[in-house]
Amino acid sequence: MKYIRQRYILFEIITPKKKIFDKELIIKAIGKKLIKFFGEYITFKVGLWMIRWDPLNQIGIIRVDNISKYHLITAMMLIKELNSTPVIFHTRITSGTIKKTLNIWRQTFSTLPPRREKS
Amino acid sequence: MFINSCIPWSNEPTNFLKNISLCHQIGYQAAIVDLNSKSDYQDFIKSDFFPKNIPKIRFPLSAETILNYRTKITPISLIPRVTLNPENQQSLKKELSVWKERRCLIAVKSLNKEILEVAARDGRVDLLSVATIDYQKSLTKGIISLARQNECFLDISLTPLIEYEHYKRTKILRVLYRLFLKAKPSANKYIIGSDSNNKNPWLMRGPKETISFLYSVCNIPEFQAKKILSNNPEDIILRFIKRDQKLFIEPGVEIVDIIEERAEGGLNK
């Protein structure tokens, strides 16, 4: 059995016009696509968690495990619309640590990532 | 370097520029533009998207050479490709003799197996376009074998897969799965691009997403998936560049390097 580690995926949503999407809407859309395309068996392994989300710039970081990383990116690829607006999920980078992912966020987008919400 | 092997040409420059910048935004550094007719080809060649004079290149040829074909207004390099859809074998040969002299890659698409067989055997054809399931179904083992021997690339598209859902998507996946079993990506040369018939740019997807799709759904190893999106299109564009720069003389004979000083000295003598 493979040793499970965490992976952080930095992604952005590209839309024709600037729109603000809710964090829950994106998680729901990805989860729905995962269940629909890969089924419950793969979805329960993914462990989907949105670590950071910047609604103004439409950039976010999602945490998954290393095995089902490709399944998640495929599910994101298959999403065509959010709130009847055409979207493209563009994964920028996958990293093993949140520190490196946040560094890349600062470098590529030249914006500060939002602080983590208290649960 | 990731290359989109097929983006549709649009006569409106602003629309086309938008599509190209979207292509650049999602991670491609070059793209092959699909042209369906002579007028499209003329429009593209005369436009500012393609260098009018043959650009200067550095030897040895590498992926960076492709970037020389970028113009001032485009963020990525664009290479023209003409897709022929002949009615019979004679018309295919006629069209090939015309298009051979032009500055473009030549692709053939047809539902007729005999035409595909002739195209796969012909050295002038660079690509066999099998973007949709109807075209993929018409590929036989013989055609695939001929294409492999003549280094003819197979052009597929994932756009219909994103566009349709439910039963239609499963059908597309089934045909794609059978194609990959018939023509294995380890032995055959595939390239992936957006479907030229579909003019919706918002169905275009980035290289990383495509690689993860091929890995997780089609069970293609990651290094082979990367090859489909990077090395194979690079090969075909370098083939175009060799033809465009007149470096290709005959199969097995081509100019590898030009040393200018010695060449000048040789001319003076």
Side-chain angles (χ1 to χ4, degrees), chain A residues 28 30 53 95 106 119:
Chain A
K28 255 188 185 176
I30 297 171
W53 173 243
S95 172
R106 282 183 210 112
S119 55

Side-chain angles (χ1 to χ4, degrees), chain B residues 194-206:
Chain B
S194 321
D195 188 6
S196 58
N197 297 328
N198 204 318
K199 302 266 175 181
N200 184 2
W202 294 98
L203 293 173
M204 203 184 329
R205 290 296 180 268

